[in-house]
Every structure is written in C-alpha cells, then in structure tokens.
Amino acid sequence: MEEFAEASGISRPTVSKYFHDPASVRATTRSKIEAALEKYDYQPNIFAINQNRKLTKTIGILVPFLADPFFAEIVRNIEQSCIKAGFWPIVFSAHGSQSAENNALATLRSLRPAGALLAPLGRGSDLDAVRHFAEEVPTVVFDSNVNVGEAFVGSNNFQSVDLMVDYLCRSGEPPCFFEMPPVNPNANKRREAYIQSMERLGHEPKVVQVAGSGWEFEQIGLEGGMHLISERALPSDTVLCSNDRLAVGLIAAACQKGLRIGHAPGCALRIAGHDDHPWSRFTCPPLTTVSQDYTSITERSVEILFDLIRGEKPKGDRPEILFDGKLILRASA
C-alpha cells in the first residue's frame, strides 16, 4: 500500500481509508484512487488488512458437508446476504469429519472474522473446540442445534414431522419411520416427533433403523432399503424417511426391486421425506416432503449475526428461533 501511495501521489492514510470504506473519501479523491488502481493494477491483500483492523469484514461459514445440495443452497443464500452487506464470506466444510471441523475452526479463528455462522456436525463435533471458538468470535448456530453461540436458528421439526405424519395417516396406511444412526440433533428430534405424532393419532410407532455411518445418506438408504425389501421387513407400505437424501436411496432400492412407488392404484409403496432437498422434485416419482424455510432461516441467522457484530446481543438467554415447515405433495406419496 505504501508503494501504491507513492506511485499514485495519494497519501497512504487516504488510500487506507478508501479500502475501509470507499464512500468515506471525497468523490474527486475516490475517482483519482480508482484511476490509479486501474493504471497500476493494484490489489490489496485483504488478509493483511484484516490484521490491522479492530473489526474485519470477514464472515466465516462452516457446514458439515458442502456436497449436500441442502447446505449448498443455504450457503448460497448466506453468501449473497453477506456480500450485499459489504462483508467477505469464507466457506468451510467439515466433510463429515471432526478433525476437519476443528481445523476449519482454527483456520477461521486465525483470520480474525467479524463473526461466524456455524452448522456443526452435531454428534460428531468436538463440542469443547466449537464452544471455545464461539467464546472468541460472535457466533450464530443454524441447522444443528448444539448448545454454543449466541443464538440458534433452524426448523421446527416437531411441527413439520407432525404435519407429514398427519397427512400420511389421513391418506393411507400409517407410516413407519426409516432412519439411519443419527449424525446430528435433527435426526433425533424427527424420530421423537414421529413417535409423538403417531401416538397422538392412536397408532403404534414403527421405527426402522438401517445400518450405516457418515454422510453418504443416499447409499445408506439404497443398501438398507434393498435389504428390507428383500426380507419383506418393512412394517408398513407407507414409509416416512428421516430426510430426503435417505428417501432418494430408498426410492432407488424400490425401483431396482421392481416396486411401483406412489399413491395411485397398483402402487406397492408410498415414500415421503423431509427437507424439500433441491433434488427432491426430480426423483422418479417426485418426492412428497416437508420443506424447510431456507429463506427465513438464512435471513434471520444473518440478521442476528450482524446485530452481534454491532454489539447488540439478542434478548433472552440464547434464543432458539424455529421456522415451521410446509407440506409439499408430490407423486411419491
């Protein structure tokens, strides 16, 4: 920056002021700086600048598995909100690994972010490491509600699952619940919500857990579904899957076994999911599911984080903001 200031004939403090906030310098000076930037092709080192700022413009975003289109869509919305507000979003994925999550947190902390939006692994997280990060960096947690950060924003699983169970019971045989060993708090809440809803409606809950670990949910759903169908071990012709990715695998298993899926006469199986995953409308047949309110979750998460950055803490003791789901009826159920 000193070399650029000397070459352009503009004082270094003025140049620094421009990079902090272009609107803070006079229009004539701003035009002169921008002309010099183009002439000398100068690019500031944002990380070096951040080391000298009391408040950086960096926002950290950490998700458990960025290859999941659900998280990709959430991150896309968060990025756009941060950029629009003049911040630099930096995205990390834990790739389903505790060590990768810890490394991401350590790297992000070294960048001195203004704040962070975290969707922790959940059961697989090193909670001490996540908590230590959140004590140093203004943090809002979304999707996976582990008890860290200043606030949590997510989906109302008890409302959304109840909505689906009620519909499936009214429209056909009561559903069994298809799941894998839980990887985050949402899975446990959805199972509990299913059990409560079935009991409220006077039906016996039937939970089917297939073997598997990690974040390859479609493969787990496929392999578990193939086994259950082969053994005729599904306790109901209606199956509510814990999430849409498991449902995608189960649909593939049913198709490979020659079962017709849907609500029409001659169908052997109804399959429903949860999340309104971006690909759920493209399964064959399209998947009946419950949508998460992507827009409200991301907007509220970012809004709370920006308040924290400005020194405005949310009212109450770590508020939990939950958004209701919406029933999405498609051909699979």
Side-chain angles (χ1 to χ4, degrees):
M1 192 180 293
E2 290 176 354
E3 293 174 358
F4 172 71
E6 184 178 352
S8 62
I10 304 164
S11 71
R12 186 188 183 287
T14 301
V15 173
S16 179
K17 187 178 180 183
Y18 168 85
F19 285 130
H20 181 72
D21 179 10
S24 65
V25 299
R26 290 196 300 259
T28 53
T29 304
R30 186 163 65 248
S31 297
K32 186 177 180 181
I33 293 172
E34 290 169 353
L37 288 172
E38 184 173 352
K39 178 179 179 181
Y40 296 108
D41 192 28
Y42 176 68
Q43 297 291 329
N45 184 327
I46 187 65
F47 298 107
I49 291 173
N50 281 345
Q51 295 303 311
N52 288 324
R53 283 181 174 169
K54 291 183 179 179
L55 178 65
T56 73
K57 288 290 185 176
T58 301
I59 298 291
I61 306 167
L62 174 61
V63 295
F65 197 71
L66 191 55
D68 185 329
F70 168 78
F71 287 112
E73 180 67 11
I74 290 283
V75 167
R76 183 183 70 84
N77 290 339
I78 291 175
E79 281 187 309
Q80 290 180 338
S81 297
C82 290
I83 292 169
K84 185 177 179 181
F87 288 87
W88 299 76
I90 299 180
V91 180
F92 294 88
S93 173
H95 304 290
S97 162
Q98 182 184 106
S99 61
E101 182 172 79
N102 286 351
N103 288 338
L105 291 171
T107 301
L108 182 56
R109 188 166 58 246
S110 72
L111 298 176
R112 300 178 61 244
L117 292 155
L118 306 183
L121 287 169
R123 290 171 63 91
S125 291
D126 177 348
L127 292 181
D128 287 337
V130 181
R131 189 173 292 110
H132 178 63
F133 175 90
E135 288 171 352
E136 294 187 1
V137 178
T139 298
V140 173
V141 176
F142 67 96
D143 183 67
S144 183
N145 190 6
V146 299
N147 190 23
V148 300
E150 297 291 341
F152 169 75
V153 183
S155 292
N156 186 349
N157 287 298
F158 285 88
Q159 177 271 342
S160 57
V161 171
D162 185 69
L163 192 67
M164 178 61 79
V165 171
D166 181 75
Y167 162 72
L168 293 174
C169 289
R170 285 188 289 106
S171 58
E173 185 176 0
C176 62
F177 189 75
F178 182 84
E179 67 168 9
M180 58 178 283
V183 297
N184 65 24
N186 286 322
N188 289 321
K189 289 179 180 177
R190 291 174 190 176
R191 185 203 312 112
E192 185 179 346
Y194 161 79
I195 293 171
Q196 288 185 12
S197 297
M198 290 287 283
E199 291 176 343
R200 178 181 64 80
L201 295 169
H203 302 295
E204 180 186 355
K206 298 174 181 177
V207 176
V208 179
Q209 186 175 102
V210 297
S213 61
W215 287 77
E216 301 297 332
F217 298 167
E218 293 87 356
Q219 187 66 32
I220 293 169
L222 171 64
E223 293 175 356
M226 292 284 280
H227 173 74
L228 290 168
I229 293 170
S230 297
E231 298 295 321
R232 298 189 176 184
L234 282 170
S236 172
D237 291 339
T238 301
V239 184
L240 171 57
C241 298
S242 180
N243 61 65
D244 286 354
R245 292 182 60 198
L246 280 174
V248 169
L250 182 58
I251 287 175
C255 289
Q256 291 183 36
K257 287 295 184 178
L259 298 182
R260 187 178 175 190
I261 304 164
H263 202 279
C267 291
L269 202 61
R270 289 196 302 162
I271 298 176
H274 190 291
D275 291 338
D276 197 22
H277 186 289
W279 293 347
S280 63
R281 69 189 66 187
F282 302 116
T283 58
C284 186
L287 182 64
T288 289
T289 185
V290 180
S291 68
Q292 294 201 48
D293 192 342
Y294 290 73
T295 301
S296 295
I297 290 171
T298 54
E299 287 181 351
R300 189 71 179 111
S301 298
V302 171
E303 178 185 337
I304 294 172
L305 182 63
F306 289 167
D307 286 344
L308 289 172
I309 292 171
R310 290 191 293 267
E312 303 170 14
K313 287 198 173 187
K315 295 180 180 179
D317 184 19
R318 192 182 180 271
E320 297 182 1
I321 297 95
L322 304 178
F323 291 96
D324 287 350
K326 179 181 179 183
L327 192 63
I328 307 294
L329 298 180
R330 301 192 182 108
S332 74

